[in-house]
Each structure stands twice: as C-alpha cells, then as structure tokens.
Amino acid sequence: MTDDPASLDLSATEMRAMADATVARVLAHIASLPDQPAIGDYEDVVARCRALREPPPEAPTPFEALLEQVFDVCVPCSYTTSGPGYLAYIPGGGVFPAALADLIQDVTNRFTGIWHPAPLLVQLEANVLEWLTTLMGFPPSTRGMFGTGGSAANFSAIVCAREQRLGPAIRDGVMYASTQVHHSVVKSARLAGIAADRLRVLPVDEGFRLQVPALAEAIRADRRRGLRPFLVVTSAGTTNTGAVDPLEVVADLCAAEGLWHHVDGAYGAFFHLCEETRPALRGLPRADSLTLDPHKGLCLPYGTGALLVRDGAALRAVHAVAAGYLPPQGDDDVYDPSQYSPDLSRGAPGLRVWLCLKVFGLARYRAALREKHELATYAASRLAQLPGMTLVAPPVLSLLAFQLAPPGAPREESTRATRELAQRLLARRRIFLSGATADDGRFLARICILSFRTRRPQIDLCLHEIEEVSAEILRERG
Ligand SMILES: *Cc1c(COP(=O)(O)O)cnc(C)c1O
C-alpha cells in the first residue's frame, strides 16, 4: 500500500495480486465441492463464533490472512449450499458469471437507482425484465423490479395490491392464502400494514393445494361481515412440498370477485420456461403479479429476486416519489428502477441476471431445468419402491416429499421414523435433505432438486443412502 496515510487506493500490481489470490481460492473451492461434506462441522459452534469476536481493526491486516480466515475458518462451518449434494430447502447453486457481474458492478460502481446516471446499464436490467415478461406470458403493460429475493418481491406485490384495491382504508381489507404459503407472505402482510386478523389462512387438499371452495366461502363470509376482500396469494410451487395451487381456477375467481391475484413463484416460476412443466403452471400468466427468484430457478448466487406486475402503472404508482435534488427521473419511455422498487442506491441486481442469461443462453437453462424435473421424477419412482416408504407428494416440478411409514400410519409413528431417517442421512454428511411439517403435524422428508451441480450421480447416491438408512431403521424396529 502507498505511503500516503489517507489513501484508500491500491496499485494495479496490488489489485492483481489480491484478485489472483482470491480467484485461486475460489477455483480451489469449486473444485473441492463434490468432496466437501454436505454440512460442515458444527461442534462447539457458539464458542467458535464467540472466539471470532474482536475489537475494531485500527491497523491493516495482510490480505492472505483474511482469505485464510474466510475460506479456512468460516466457510467450512456451514451448509454446503453450492454443492451437488444439497437437496434441502430450495437450492440455488451460484453460477459463476454472476460473481463476475458483481465484480464489474462493484468496481465501476455506477449509480443505477435512477435512469439518467447510467442509462445503458439500466437498459440491460430493463431488457431482462422485458424478457421475463415475455417468458412468463405477461402483457406489454407489465413492469417489474429486481430486489434482494422472493421476500422483498412478495412485500412489494402486497403493498401494490393494497394500494390499488384499498387505498387508505387498509383496516377493512382481507387477504387469503393457504396453510402452505411461504412465511415471507405472512411477514410481508404484517409489514404492509395488514394485521394478522385480516389474513385468512385456508386449508389445502390432499395434494397440498389451496382449496378453492374454502376460498370462495371465506370471501363470501368476509363480505357479509362488511369487510373488503382484496388479495389472494397462491404458490407456483410451495417450499414445503412443491405443490402448485390451482392458479387458473383462482384467476377466474379473482376476476369474478375483483380481487388481486399474486402468484408466489419464487421456487417454481422458472419451470414455465419448459414445455414439460408449463402445463403444471397453467394460469400463471394471468396473475396480477408474480414473484420470481433468479437465485433459485436461474441458479444465481443468493441476493436476487424479481417481481412482475401486470399493470405496470400500479407498481410505479406505489413506489414513485419526486425529489428535487436528484438527477432527472425517466418518463414512461425509459425504465427508472427507483420508481418501481423500494431501493434508491443499489448495485445493479439485473446485471448479474443479464450476464448469466447471455453467457448460457435460454436453451441451456431450459435443458438444466428439464433435467431437474426428470431427476425428481426418477427419484420419486425409485423411492416409491423402497420398503416402508410412502411418496406423500410426487414431484410436480422438482420437489418431492415422503415418509418412512405406510400411507395411513399414525402421525407419531410416521414422524418418528421419518425424522430418524433425515437425521441419520445428515449425520453421514454426503447429502443434505430437509423436512417439512404437514398440516396434521406429520413430519415429511423432502428432496428439492434445483442446484445446477446436482446431476444423476448425486441422485443415485442420494437414493442409495436413503435405501441403506431406511433399511437399517426398519431392521431395528423389527
Ligand atoms: C424461497 C421462497 C420465498 C422467499 O424468497 P427469498 O428469496 O428467500 O427471500 C418465498 N416464497 C417461496 C415459495 C420460496 O420458495
């Protein structure tokens, strides 16, 4: 570093050395992913966290020591979310070009909150939103936003629906979702000023889908009470079991009743790209708004969600504010990010999506998603043949749920055996499954195949592990 004590600049040589050291670490990390345990060593983890605490650093630390701390101390104690054996929750993976897009944005540090300071860079983001609009079958009136994730997208959608349908009379408004809706919707409703007693949580059918007759009845009952039903949130792929709500039927009901229909497609919307899975998402293009998570379905690293709103003017109306001190805002001809989302200063969240889509091309993404769907179908058929195993939720997209118990087994018995299965699989640390709790309290094990690194060999390994462990448990039980 220079002798100038107030300079934060680095020489080209220094920057290259730091970048090279980082890239070397990163590539070694990627190469080791197949051999990394599915979950790191968590022994004494709280004590180890405490041991990391330190006072604010007054003096500089050599870069290599910092890389060592991050890569050798911190990263290994974690879930291997970018590894091929990660079948838990909703995997993403973290395709590499996104990291390069972040580097470019971080270094150029252009201001993309408003159109004028970087109009052509912002246009790249606008292009991606237009592509998503086309790909999801939305009309040209659609506008959208990029944000940090599905939660932020759900939040903006709910605020938009509230503003459009209720105006200032928030307290009378009622919204509807199923028991299987993602918890970010419950949180978003609260943040949006919709109190808990104005959120109706409705039952699901045997396929974990929202029961539409119950929805229609709830809407009628609320109208009789003098309340104002305004929003239905459905899921295009629930996080628990991958169920897709009857989107088309709900779209009809919402149209007839004048309700806003928001589809949470954070997990599943990108399966609309593939002909094989598109029929399962019938009705999705009719939504008033749609949450997408590029950091799930497009395998980007964490940090990028998206929202599309069919009536683009509604999205703009709820976010746009004027400020005299800022550069000129764009008119309707150009896309002005801060007029369509809560953020002002931000990175360029669309740049990483743009770069990945351009580098790989859509055909390759389609093939990858199709493969995940096929792998899930394959896994389900093999699982269903295992002794004592019941496929509770067959894969509609790429997620399946099962229990280590016969179909009608008592809840406690089924939960005990299935939990045991999940725990022993995790203890072996080769694959990572997570579970979900059904409405009746039953614990279900689930496999979600979405990481681009998960291919047939990992699924075979997963099936092999499940076969061994479940046989072991059944044997012990006699
Ligand atoms: C992951 C997920 C969310 C939340 O998205 P984040 O990107 O984690 O904020 C919302 N809904 C569904 C269905 C999800 O799977």
Side-chain angles (χ1 to χ4, degrees), residues 322-386:
Y325 80 95
L326 286 173
Q329 294 183 330
D331 57 22
D332 268 343
D333 286 343
V334 296
Y335 181 68
D336 212 344
S338 61
Q339 295 200 46
Y340 292 92
S341 81
D343 295 322
L344 178 58
S345 304
R346 69 215 261 279
L351 187 68
R352 51 185 0 223
V353 191
W354 175 83
L355 195 69
C356 294
L357 286 174
K358 292 289 274 187
V359 163
F360 292 119
L362 272 172
R364 193 171 279 267
Y365 264 116
R366 283 200 179 91
L369 286 165
R370 186 178 304 124
E371 184 195 62
K372 304 315 161 207
H373 171 64
E374 287 167 2
L375 284 173
T377 309
Y378 163 73
S381 68
R382 291 264 318 264
L383 264 182
Q385 287 160 16
L386 293 182

Side-chain angles (χ1 to χ4, degrees), residues 90 149-152 154 182 184 237-239 264 266-267 293 295-296:
I90 311 283
S151 303
N154 282 337
H182 192 267
S184 67
T238 63
T239 316
D264 179 0
Y267 155 54
D293 241 351
H295 66 205
K296 289 176 178 170

